[in-house]
Every structure is written in structure tokens, then in C-alpha cells.
Amino acid sequence: MLTRDDYQGTKEAWCPGCGNFGILNAVKKALLDLQLPPEKILMVSGIGQASKLPHYLRCNFFNGLHGRALPVALAAKLANPEMTVIVHNGDGDCYGEGGNHFLHNIRRNPDITCIVHDNKVYGLTKGQASPTSDKGFTTKVQTHGVFNEPFNPLAIAISMNCSFVARGYAGDLSYLAELIKKGIQHKGFSLIDVLQPCPTFNHVNTFRWYQERVYHLEEDKEFDPGNPLKAFYKAREWGDRIPLGVFYLHPRPTIEENIPALQAGPLYRQKIQPNRILDIMEEFYASPGEKPWLRGR
């Protein structure tokens, strides 16, 4: 029987009051409820305050380049589909630098869970506007206020038929933990965008600001996460009322199921066949006349 101490990593180094603490606690609760052994978990992250979370858990982790967590996670999942792969990145890391990887992983639908710590600001680099910053948000760089439209990750994901789209809130730990559990149990790409107050660089979207606005989608008895139009409508709701929950479910085959090489099981279990490689090389050198670079050999 696993306990919370089994997931304890190094001591956290976030600012006091950071929303990342709530996300970390929700992740631990979800892993504990699912009784996932640490050695069967891989956490992947890029660069940023959010990407430090795997350091604070006892499990396998890979801390890579800015915005490049998703391709690493995809490769790891293809090499060992039996591993539970969870990505932690911030809104700038995932939707800015990693935006292209975000879109194409939705297309490929790997069985990984992507948790985005969305504090609407670049916290590690001292408070520049991020892709999800609201219009008018002022920073030391955007002194006249952000004039670009904010990136809406949920609406984008729903429009691309992402198989699992959800939003949580760092101040609603139990509800967030349930969303993370559902995301891990879902077969396919699971996006969980988490509203995360940054007390140091974002003095607009605070815990109080969110607490006065968030509500659970379950309160709307007519809402159906299988209906893309209703999900899209809810994804655009922002301001006085901000919904939390599972917005969209669209089960479909994963990339692991579509790759023939994985039909015989995980790659690490498959035996290397030297003769097969020799056959391929022999075939490659068999027709030098059709390969100008081999003429004369």
C-alpha cells in the first residue's frame, strides 16, 4: 500500500503562496488514489516554474528544453507504452515556445497527460505577458497593456478533436485531483489546463479573483462533454463566470495503437533481429545502378 511519503521528492523552491503548491498536492493525491508505483511513472517537463514540479516528486523524470516537453514525452511513451507519462509545463512553455508540439500531439493522440500550469505570465523570467494573458494586462515589458487576443487552449483543443479536454483550479485541490485522475485513466491525449495564481507577478488573477468566478460544469445539468458545440461555447466563457471540469471527450485510437511496430509489444521487450538488419542492408546495396552515389563501388 503506497503512502503519500512514497512520492516525496526534494524540498520545493517556489514563492510563498504560489499556486504550484496546490497543483503538486493534487498530483500527489491523484497518484496515491490510483496507487501508481513511482517506478512506473515518468514526469516530463521543459523550462519554467511549472517545470520544476517533477523535481519535487519521487519518480522518473526528464527535464528538457523550453517548450520541448511534449516530443520527449511522446518518444518515451512510444518506447514504453506501459509507463504512465505525465507532462508538466506552463502556459508560456506549452502554448508559446511549445505551441507547435501542442497542436501536433493533439493530432497524434498519444496516451499521455498534459498538465499546463496556467498563471497567465512568465514567472521564471520575472513577469512578462504570456500567450494566455488577458488584454490590458500590464507588466514591466507591456507597460501600455497587452493588446493581443489571448490564446484559448481549450477552444483550440476542442476544435482539433482532442480526446480529453479539462480545466482545473489550483485553489480547488480535491476537484483538481479528480480531473488529474480522469486524465491519467483516459486513453489518449489528455489536456488539463490549470488556473494557477502567481502572487509575485500577476496581481490581477489572484486566488480571490478566481474564487469569486469559478464554478463546476456539473452545475449545468444540460451540459454534455460529448457535444463539441456546447464544449466550444463553454470554453469561450470567461470573465464573471469561469467554468471548471471536463469540457470535451472524444475517444479515438492512440498513436501507439496505430503504429505497426508496437503491435508485438513495447519496443524494449522486442528482440533485436540482426539478420533482419543485414537483409535490409543487402537490399540497399543490391542496385547500385539506381543509386548514383554508389556507382564505382
Side-chain angles (χ1 to χ4, degrees):
M1 182 75 177
L2 292 164
T3 68
R4 187 179 173 87
D5 290 340
D6 291 314
Y7 301 106
Q8 186 61 48
T10 59
K11 184 173 176 53
E12 303 87 354
W14 289 313
C15 301
C18 177
N20 277 323
F21 288 103
I23 299 174
L24 176 61
N25 286 328
V27 168
K28 286 181 180 178
K29 185 176 188 312
L31 298 178
L32 186 60
D33 288 351
L34 294 173
Q35 287 289 292
L36 285 175
E39 68 271 17
K40 295 291 186 182
I41 301 168
L42 171 65
M43 297 273 178
V44 184
S45 63
I47 297 294
Q49 295 291 355
S51 297
K52 291 156 66 176
L53 186 142
H55 304 182
Y56 310 141
L57 284 168
R58 178 173 168 264
C59 63
N60 304 294
F61 77 85
F62 184 97
N63 194 197
L65 299 175
H66 202 6
R68 312 301 173 209
L70 282 171
V72 173
L74 169 61
K77 188 67 181 180
L78 291 179
N80 185 359
E82 296 174 348
M83 190 75 78
T84 297
V85 179
I86 301 172
V87 174
H88 282 278
N89 39 26
D91 41 299
D93 193 42
C94 187
Y95 305 142
E97 285 79 2
N100 196 40
H101 300 305
F102 173 67
L103 298 178
H104 291 287
N105 271 275
I106 291 175
R107 286 178 52 233
R108 294 168 182 136
N109 197 34
D111 186 16
I112 63 180
T113 304
C114 178
I115 300 175
V116 183
H117 303 214
D118 191 350
N119 59 9
K120 297 174 165 292
V121 75
Y122 279 92
L124 190 69
T125 49
K126 312 303 181 189
Q128 300 87 352
S130 83
T132 60
S133 296
D134 290 329
K135 289 181 74 172
F137 181 68
T138 58
T139 73
K140 291 181 180 177
V141 177
Q142 288 80 22
T143 55
H144 297 289
V146 173
F147 51 81
N148 292 319
E149 288 290 331
F151 185 81
N152 188 325
L154 303 188
I156 293 291
I158 293 165
S159 72
M160 293 185 67
N161 271 330
C162 183
S163 62
F164 181 102
V165 181
R167 178 194 282 146
Y169 165 48
D172 193 349
L173 193 153
S174 297
Y175 192 75
L176 176 57
E178 287 301 314
L179 291 179
I180 294 172
K181 282 167 56 180
K182 289 176 182 177
I184 293 173
Q185 292 174 315
H186 175 80
K187 190 173 70 172
F189 187 81
S190 305
L191 169 65
I192 305 175
D193 186 79
V194 185
L195 304 176
Q196 177 231 324
C198 173
T200 303
F201 296 111
N202 186 340
H203 298 150
V204 176
N205 308 109
T206 63
F207 277 104
R208 174 177 291 183
W209 191 88
Y210 282 123
Q211 207 65 42
E212 293 171 348
R213 290 167 171 80
V214 294
Y215 72 95
H216 297 163
L217 280 170
E218 290 81 356
E219 295 175 17
D220 183 348
K221 301 301 181 187
E222 296 183 357
F223 180 72
D224 174 12
N227 185 323
L229 291 179
K230 289 188 175 181
F232 193 75
Y233 175 80
K234 286 293 185 184
R236 290 179 56 81
E237 185 177 4
W238 185 266
D240 293 338
R241 298 265 289 167
I242 300 174
L244 306 175
V246 178
F247 285 65
Y248 189 51
L249 290 171
H250 182 72
R252 57 189 170 96
T254 65
I255 188 172
E256 302 95 290
E257 294 172 316
N258 285 328
I259 292 181
L262 296 179
Q263 301 305 310
L267 294 180
Y268 79 95
R269 284 190 183 173
Q270 296 186 33
K271 292 183 179 178
I272 298 174
Q273 301 180 44
N275 290 338
R276 177 60 180 145
I277 297 174
L278 292 175
D279 290 344
I280 292 172
M281 294 302 294
E282 187 174 332
E283 183 181 348
F284 179 77
Y285 285 112
S287 304
E290 299 175 4
K291 301 180 177 66
W293 62 89
L294 290 179
R295 286 175 185 160
R297 289 196 174 199

